Amino acid sequence: MSVTKLPAASPRPLTKVNSIFHSTIYSLIETGLNQALSLDPGTRKQMESLSGKCIRIHCQSPRLLLNILVCEQHLSLSANEALQADISIKGNASALMKLLVTRNTANLRQDGIVISGDVGLLGKFQAILQNLDIDWEYQLSKFIGDIPTQFTHDSINAAGRFAKKTRHNLEEDIDNYLHDETRLFPSEAELKDFYKSVDVLRLRVDRLDSRTGKLQSILADAISD
Amino acid sequence: MNNDSPEKTTHFGYRQVAVEEKADLVGEVFHSVAKKYDLMNDVMSLGTHRIIKRFTVELSALRPGMKVLDLAGGTGDFSLLFSPLVGSQGQVVLADINESMVRVGRDRIIDKGKSGNISYTLANAEQLPFTANTFDCICIAYGLRNVTDKQAALNSMFEMTAPGGRVLILEFSKPVNPLLGKAYDVYSTLWPKAGQLITGDGESYQYLVESIRMHPDQETLKQMMQEAGFENCEYHNVMGGICAIHVGHKAASR
Ligand SMILES: C[S@@+](CC[C@H](N)C(=O)[O-])C[C@H]1O[C@@H](n2cnc3c(N)ncnc32)[C@H](O)[C@@H]1O
């Protein structure tokens, strides 16, 4: 039995990207998302075909790594680079938010968003993530329990309000934009151009990630054994 | 333990006890604290133990269909977190040396209606009763410091890990900043009193304080993992090293 050394993707040194602080935020968001999902059988059903798929959101400013993994009817958030993603999106926070909130794939290039992997998954993930209404305060008290709730109550509420407000503002902006700027709707040429560059990018990423792919098949074999 | 005297002894906190006796004593500790364990965890971790646990679970890199061992799983916190991740096609095994802990864990999990993919085994971490190369992830949280022969446990965990899989070890560790270390030391001297108040059992927490101080520090544990065969071993200090999460990988074989 020969031993294959693991490719760099899996046991890469643990980066500063994942920390207990990210975990705290992610757990709040995750609980909120799953809570919202529990009230939405339609979306849950829709998710099932995505089970096992993982989207990685790589925010460059602020630096943040977020994996969203679909586990049957449940979403799992993490910041672990060792988790293999099926599609990966890179960009800055506002562009990523715009993308995830508006389902607008047309401005990717302009916004400096880079997508790799199975691009077809993007729309499906967007559909799931959109318009989930989240009761942050309730989620927090449920998760953190009694002791620190008093401490964090106010600040998280503020954060929640901020997030809501941000989203609200963003939605308003987008609304205005939609009404004022017909230019938002991309021309067919632009779209074609975009898809072409995505394809080129995908090929390049595929090549770069061929070693990662090898690991995936090794893992898959190990699991099915 | 490298003790060659005919009467083999081991640490039970600061006390030296016969090796066979330790398993019983450890058992007693967890019998008496099983129910109020959660509240004490809040006290000891300044309310952060749920987040630390979650952070550990994030490092598992688990996904639907995988197999995970919640070793020294106790009341099942980790099993409950792993269960939705691996889904109905996956498998969670809660293993603990203490029958009453397994029972409490199982009851809790059934109460929460999450029993679908979780099974339960009475097992000693030093000699795991599974088939080699089974688990995509083995997680031992706040359990290793209670194990008598830690190296034997790590070796056994390595054997049970599937090629390409990983092990996670969450344990109290050594604060990196001496001032924080001192402060935490002082704070931890309060646990037996808190334990007495909350669980009516101060002695158990006296044991915990002592066992934490006896536990190998970050680098030592990392070396022990490498010795067991794990590669690319790394650790995360949490709360400045009050806790540490070690991650090790078993090479994918072909
Ligand atoms: C502090 S509890 C941790 C429980 C759980 N992992 C958690 O984080 O909530 C430690 C557990 O380790 C178990 N334990 C102690 N020695 C063990 C051994 N040699 N093999 C397996 N489990 C052991 C105890 O029975 C106890 O349930």
Side-chain angles (χ1 to χ4, degrees):
Chain A
M1 179 186 77
S2 75
V3 175
T4 315
K5 193 121 175 57
L6 285 173
S10 175
R12 185 176 298 156
L14 304 168
T15 60
K16 290 281 173 229
V17 173
N18 54 357
S19 72
I20 189 155
F21 300 107
H22 290 93
S23 251
T24 311
I25 306 295
Y26 288 0
S27 80
L28 289 171
I29 300 171
E30 181 185 289
T31 318
L33 290 173
N34 285 313
Q35 178 75 24
L37 276 169
S38 72
L39 304 171
D40 186 350
T43 309
R44 282 207 315 273
K45 192 109 197 92
Q46 208 179 327
M47 266 168 64
E48 273 183 356
S49 66
L50 277 183
S51 184
K53 298 286 185 210
C54 176
I55 185 170
R56 173 166 304 156
I57 297 159
H58 220 128
C59 182
Q60 283 157 329
S61 65
R63 215 165 110 69
L64 198 81
L65 184 103
L66 169 65
N67 299 317
I68 304 175
L69 173 67
V70 182
C71 306
E72 292 167 3
Q73 304 200 341
H74 175 95
L75 289 175
S76 162
L77 273 49
S78 70
N80 186 2
E81 262 185 282
L83 188 69
Q84 297 251 324
D86 300 284
I87 170 173
S88 165
I89 307 179
K90 252 183 210 166
N92 66 36
S94 62
L96 287 169
M97 238 175 115
K98 212 159 132 187
L99 175 71
L100 291 169
V101 177
T102 67
R103 202 177 190 173
N104 166 27
T105 55
N107 276 335
L108 290 182
R109 230 168 155 199
Q110 218 169 294
D111 290 342
I113 288 184
V114 176
I115 302 186
S116 56
D118 186 351
V119 180
L121 290 173
L122 178 59
K124 294 179 183 170
F125 272 101
Q126 282 173 315
I128 291 167
L129 292 175
Q130 276 173 1
N131 293 324
L132 293 172
D133 208 20
I134 295 158
D135 184 346
W136 296 100
E137 194 181 332
Y138 171 70
Q139 294 309 331
L140 179 70
S141 64
K142 236 177 74 182
F143 180 76
I144 300 204
D146 297 332
I147 291 179
T149 310
Q150 296 309 320
F151 286 121
T152 40
H153 184 92
D154 292 341
S155 55
I156 296 288
N157 251 344
R161 272 198 302 276
F162 174 75
K164 262 199 191 126
K165 204 174 144 221
T166 309
R167 203 180 79 169
H168 182 73
N169 290 345
L170 197 69
E171 276 166 356
E172 222 166 49
D173 285 346
I174 289 155
D175 209 38
N176 290 337
Y177 200 43
L178 267 172
H179 286 294
D180 299 340
E181 310 256 338
T182 44
R183 219 200 67 75
L184 181 73
F185 300 104
S187 69
E188 230 183 289
E190 267 182 291
L191 267 179
K192 269 197 186 131
D193 192 40
F194 162 66
Y195 284 120
K196 210 155 66 192
S197 62
V198 165
D199 277 341
V200 169
L201 186 68
R202 178 160 43 187
L203 280 174
R204 274 163 58 190
V205 169
D206 278 351
R207 238 172 287 137
L208 279 171
D209 273 6
S210 65
R211 290 182 68 199
T212 311
K214 205 165 130 201
L215 171 71
Q216 224 166 6
S217 70
I218 290 167
L219 269 175
D221 286 351
I223 297 156
S224 62
D225 279 348
Chain B
M1 247 11 73
N2 311 316
N3 194 328
D4 289 324
S5 67
E7 240 192 335
K8 269 196 137 185
T9 64
T10 180
H11 301 294
F12 182 75
Y14 288 144
R15 283 157 65 196
Q16 292 285 312
V17 297
V19 170
E20 316 81 61
E21 219 183 293
K22 176 165 174 174
D24 291 349
L25 284 171
V26 171
E28 249 170 61
V29 169
F30 291 105
H31 273 286
S32 59
V33 299
K35 306 264 173 180
K36 290 173 179 170
Y37 191 67
D38 227 32
L39 184 52
M40 269 309 287
N41 276 340
D42 273 325
V43 171
M44 297 191 296
S45 68
L46 309 166
T48 61
H49 78 101
R50 290 180 191 81
I51 290 158
I52 296 175
K53 284 177 177 175
R54 186 206 150 84
F55 182 51
T56 310
V57 170
E58 280 190 35
L59 293 174
S60 72
L62 284 166
R63 57 201 310 158
M66 287 188 168
K67 287 187 185 135
V68 53
L69 175 61
D70 178 11
L71 184 53
T75 51
D77 280 6
F78 277 89
S79 292
L80 283 166
L81 293 169
F82 289 141
S83 171
L85 268 178
V86 298
S88 56
Q89 304 302 307
Q91 206 182 326
V92 182
V93 178
L94 189 162
D96 199 287
I97 202 171
N98 184 311
E99 208 186 328
S100 87
M101 286 303 267
V102 174
R103 212 175 309 123
V104 173
R106 195 188 48 204
D107 289 351
R108 255 186 94 213
I109 289 164
I110 291 169
D111 276 355
K112 290 182 191 259
K114 291 249 175 89
S115 53
N117 56 2
I118 307 177
S119 56
Y120 312 86
T121 310
L122 217 56
N124 184 347
E126 294 166 17
Q127 289 167 292
L128 293 170
F130 306 100
T131 315
N133 306 323
T134 296
F135 297 100
D136 299 290
C137 177
I138 297 182
C139 173
I140 181 165
Y142 303 120
L144 191 63
R145 66 161 191 278
N146 301 304
V147 174
T148 309
D149 188 343
K150 296 174 182 52
Q151 191 62 57
L154 291 169
N155 296 345
S156 187
M157 284 156 71
F158 182 75
E159 193 190 341
M160 301 304 146
T161 304
R166 69 191 60 214
V167 67
L168 302 174
I169 302 169
L170 167 61
E171 196 49 270
F172 286 99
S173 205
K174 293 270 179 296
V176 277
N177 177 330
L179 280 177
L180 174 66
K182 193 102 198 123
Y184 195 67
D185 247 19
V186 171
Y187 179 61
S188 65
T189 58
L190 303 175
W191 298 354
K193 279 186 199 116
Q196 183 65 42
L197 282 169
I198 293 170
T199 68
D201 179 0
E203 216 172 292
S204 296
Y205 286 93
Q206 185 61 42
Y207 160 69
L208 287 186
V209 174
E210 290 168 7
S211 71
I212 288 165
R213 289 178 193 168
M214 305 296 289
H215 192 69
D217 65 17
Q218 286 90 330
E219 282 298 327
T220 311
L221 180 55
K222 184 177 159 183
Q223 273 166 29
M224 291 168 74
M225 291 169 73
Q226 283 163 347
E227 197 148 309
F230 290 106
E231 294 182 0
N232 300 297
C233 299
E234 288 279 348
Y235 58 83
H236 269 278
N237 283 323
V238 181
M239 296 201 299
I242 287 175
C243 291
I245 304 163
H246 283 69
V247 186
H249 302 84
K250 182 161 171 176
S253 68
R254 237 320 112 102

